[in-house]
Amino acid sequence: MQICVISGSPKGEKSVTLQYVRFLEQAFPEHTFSVAHVGREIRTIEQQEEVWNGLLAAIKECDGVLWATPVYCLLVPAQLKRFIELVGDRNAMETFSGKYTAALTTSIHYFDHTAHAYLHGVCDDLGMRYVGFYSAHMQDLEKEASQEQLIQFFSDFLEAIAKQRPIRKEFPLLPAIPSHYIPMSPPVTVDTHGKRVVILHDAEPGSDLEAMVGELAACYADPIQVAHIQDSMMKGACLGCCRCAFDNTCIYDDGFRAFWEKYVIPADVLVIAGTVRDRFFSATWKQFFDRSFYNGHVPAFEGKQIAYLVEGSLGYLANLREVLTSLVMTEEANLAGIVTNEPGDPAEIDAALYALAERSVRLSDRGYIAPATFPAVGGHKIFRDEIWRGMRAVFKADDRYYRQHGLYDFPTRNYLQRISTRATSLIMSIPGIRREVVKNMPTYMVQPLQRSIEKSTVLAKRKAKE
Ligand SMILES: Cc1cc2nc3c(=O)[nH]c(=O)nc-3n(C[C@H](O)[C@H](O)[C@H](O)COP(=O)(O)O)c2cc1C
């Protein structure tokens, strides 16, 4: 069979992910692999018609398409995102339609599931027959057990093609937003209390997003900063070179860092405004997120109120919502709200924008940061372990930050807790005590909490104020 590999890594032949493809090539010599270096060649693919046509011809002729890509900032790299946009913009969906497909990624398993859900949704939209995915940790190929697993995954893919296995779509097509948003001026405005409010957007002139950005800006009584992310003058997308790892200095010498320092760092309230293109924000926004990787694995939005304005059917894009909300939480910021143009009714959108303006300042005044949920709690542990385990040899800036901020918070370092757990565990081996504890487990579980309520100085201060 002829397999067309769409490689998303900007590193081309030096891609970690591509080594998994090379392994498969050797494991299945009876099949032919052709690799399209979409991540590395995106500029040429976009600008040169013959290259674009050659790529489409390769896809048309093949029996199966394998997306092979690294996970970048909770999704695929901006370069691959741009390629997917081009397929839509240039009406090339027909070339992909009906093709059997599978996805192979490498990462450190930090939001690899959102990258896969995105690719799956895109494949469904293109009418492809999505067989499944393989998500490898970047070093898995060093283990023979993983090599066996990879062979099994790929065998299943080949069998699906050979037997023309029926495949169901999992992601329904996105509905269009019925009406155009025409805002009314807000009746009253929100005092910013000296907070710096910044809106970053990539709105097209005349779009609903542009109208939402203008309306939100008008909701604040004081002037706020509004900037188009194209003004960051990015010369290109992240190259994955990891030059930034040592001291947070990017290989590009362009306007991105100055833009970041001008708008993102000083913002108390940061509003990110984007239009849904396929199943994510635009490739330009993705490039912006990827380029922010120069900050390393440290919470770049720490303490800020973050809000989103979304033009598009976010209600049908649980995966995009997960990425947007997780980006806030993992960066130790607070989600002030998300407003979309989905309601259609302009009055409803106006009201939501006003409420967002008011809430963003109020929460910023109070310094409220909501507790993290599973993605950020789990995400922290992945970063902590990966950086400590080996990445810190190169990611020196991360290592410094993790040490200074107590982020190497391994439970193994809590010696008092360990001694007490060991002692409790020994006591629990006494049958009489164990029986007693099992019988009264709920009581023992709430006892420390009840003591905290009794001794709470926070409650005492509140009561004193009454
Ligand atoms: C800009 C950038 C963003 C990344 N984002 C993630 C991420 O969100 N989750 C993750 O698990 N790994 C992330 N990684 C790690 C890569 O996925 C991993 O190193 C991968 O194996 C690189 O593959 P490649 O050599 O094929 O490009 C990121 C790496 C870079 C350079």
Side-chain angles (χ1 to χ4, degrees):
M1 270 187 263
Q2 174 72 38
I3 303 298
C4 183
V5 179
I6 300 183
S7 167
S9 176
K11 292 191 274 173
E13 286 298 330
K14 296 271 168 64
S15 148
V16 168
T17 321
L18 199 73
Q19 308 318 306
Y20 289 68
V21 175
R22 297 298 178 218
F23 172 84
L24 288 172
E25 250 184 308
Q26 295 205 25
F28 296 90
E30 64 280 26
H31 302 293
T32 327
F33 292 67
S34 67
V35 179
H37 284 291
V38 163
R40 191 186 60 190
E41 307 294 343
I42 189 62
R43 283 234 172 107
T44 325
I45 291 169
E46 185 161 2
Q47 287 163 6
Q48 294 185 19
E49 206 182 333
E50 65 277 16
V51 178
W52 170 255
N53 290 338
L55 212 165
L56 290 192
I59 293 165
K60 212 175 190 84
E61 275 164 26
C62 77
D63 302 290
V65 174
L66 179 68
W67 304 84
T69 179
V71 177
Y72 269 18
C73 300
L74 296 67
L75 210 84
V76 300
Q79 295 90 331
L80 179 55
K81 172 75 177 63
R82 181 67 193 137
F83 173 73
I84 292 165
E85 282 181 11
L86 287 178
V87 173
D89 291 352
R90 296 180 178 178
N91 263 324
M93 286 89 79
E94 195 50 39
T95 309
F96 292 79
S97 183
K99 292 281 172 203
Y100 277 86
T101 186
L104 162 65
T105 61
T106 64
S107 68
I108 57 167
H109 291 311
Y110 182 83
F111 290 89
D112 50 345
H113 66 297
T114 45
H116 280 288
Y118 168 74
L119 280 174
H120 190 163
V122 164
C123 291
D124 279 0
D125 291 346
L126 294 176
M128 302 180 88
R129 293 191 259 193
Y130 181 90
V131 179
F133 70 90
Y134 190 91
S135 178
H137 183 281
M138 54 189 295
Q139 285 160 347
D140 276 354
L141 200 57
E142 294 170 24
K143 293 179 273 180
E144 296 214 331
S146 300
Q147 297 178 3
E148 297 282 3
Q149 225 177 6
L150 182 59
I151 287 174
Q152 283 189 33
F153 154 76
F154 202 68
S155 304
D156 181 60
F157 179 44
L158 294 174
E159 272 167 38
I161 304 173
K163 295 190 178 146
Q164 294 286 293
R165 192 186 292 162
I167 306 276
R168 266 193 62 245
K169 267 186 180 213
E170 283 188 21
F171 294 85
L173 284 176
L174 300 179
I177 306 279
S179 51
H180 185 49
Y181 169 53
I182 300 164
M184 301 271 286
S185 339
V188 272
T189 50
V190 176
D191 188 336
T192 59
H193 297 175
K195 297 286 174 193
R196 290 180 85 147
V197 181
V198 175
I199 305 180
L200 299 183
H201 69 94
D202 69 340
E204 301 272 343
S207 64
D208 276 13
L209 189 67
E210 187 186 53
M212 288 200 289
V213 167
E215 179 70 359
L216 182 65
C219 288
Y220 293 101
D222 315 292
I224 65 156
Q225 286 180 299
V226 179
H228 197 294
I229 54 169
Q230 252 163 16
D231 296 342
S232 64
M233 312 297 281
M234 289 180 278
K235 278 189 188 152
C238 175
L239 301 173
C241 65
C242 290
R243 173 82 70 86
C244 54
F246 294 93
D247 58 359
N248 302 128
T249 308
C250 182
I251 192 164
Y252 282 110
D253 183 15
D254 58 12
F256 184 77
R257 191 177 185 137
F259 186 90
W260 186 271
E261 286 171 0
K262 178 174 177 190
Y263 293 108
V264 177
I265 293 177
D268 299 302
V269 175
L270 178 66
V271 183
I272 294 172
T275 303
V276 173
R277 303 215 44 197
D278 54 70
R279 288 178 174 263
F280 195 73
F281 280 179
S282 67
T284 313
W285 258 123
K286 187 64 189 36
Q287 182 166 310
F288 191 90
F289 293 139
D290 290 358
R291 287 288 307 272
S292 75
F293 187 74
Y294 86 88
N295 290 301
H297 302 84
V298 305
F301 295 158
E302 189 185 358
K304 298 183 194 303
Q305 297 297 322
I306 308 284
Y308 291 101
L309 302 185
V310 181
E311 178 183 354
S313 300
L314 186 65
Y316 291 81
L317 287 165
N319 192 58
L320 173 57
R321 183 176 286 273
E322 178 168 1
V323 171
L324 297 182
T325 54
S326 299
L327 266 176
V328 175
M329 246 191 293
T330 54
E331 301 284 350
E332 296 182 20
N334 187 60
L335 183 66
I338 304 180
V339 179
T340 77
N341 65 337
E342 286 167 298
D345 174 9
E348 208 177 309
I349 301 170
D350 287 345
L353 289 169
Y354 181 78
L356 175 64
E358 189 277 324
R359 187 165 192 252
S360 63
V361 173
R362 181 162 38 84
L363 295 184
S364 181
D365 270 344
R366 295 177 186 173
Y368 179 68
I369 305 291
T373 61
F374 171 65
V377 176
H380 163 63
K381 292 184 200 305
I382 290 181
F383 275 172
R384 179 194 68 187
D385 291 6
E386 289 284 346
I387 293 169
W388 191 84
R389 189 173 63 91
M391 277 165 61
R392 67 193 160 124
V394 177
F395 283 84
K396 299 249 183 236
D398 284 349
D399 184 42
R400 271 194 302 278
Y401 187 91
Y402 270 59
R403 281 180 200 286
Q404 283 161 7
H405 292 80
L407 294 177
Y408 288 132
D409 52 359
F410 303 102
T412 45
R413 297 207 170 147
N414 190 342
Y415 293 101
L416 260 181
Q417 171 85 59
R418 283 173 65 183
I419 293 166
S420 120
T421 306
R422 189 91 189 109
T424 314
S425 159
L426 280 172
I427 296 168
M428 287 303 151
S429 54
I430 303 166
I433 296 184
R434 194 166 56 215
R435 264 197 307 279
E436 169 65 15
V437 170
V438 168
K439 206 165 66 190
N440 295 308
M441 189 75 98
T443 311
Y444 288 122
M445 283 169 77
V446 295
Q447 261 172 0
L449 304 177
Q450 288 169 338
R451 275 199 295 276
S452 297
I453 294 173
E454 278 161 26
K455 288 197 254 161
S456 167
T457 53
V458 174
L459 284 179
K461 275 189 215 150
R462 276 185 78 85
K463 281 180 189 151
K465 269 195 206 158
E466 277 169 13

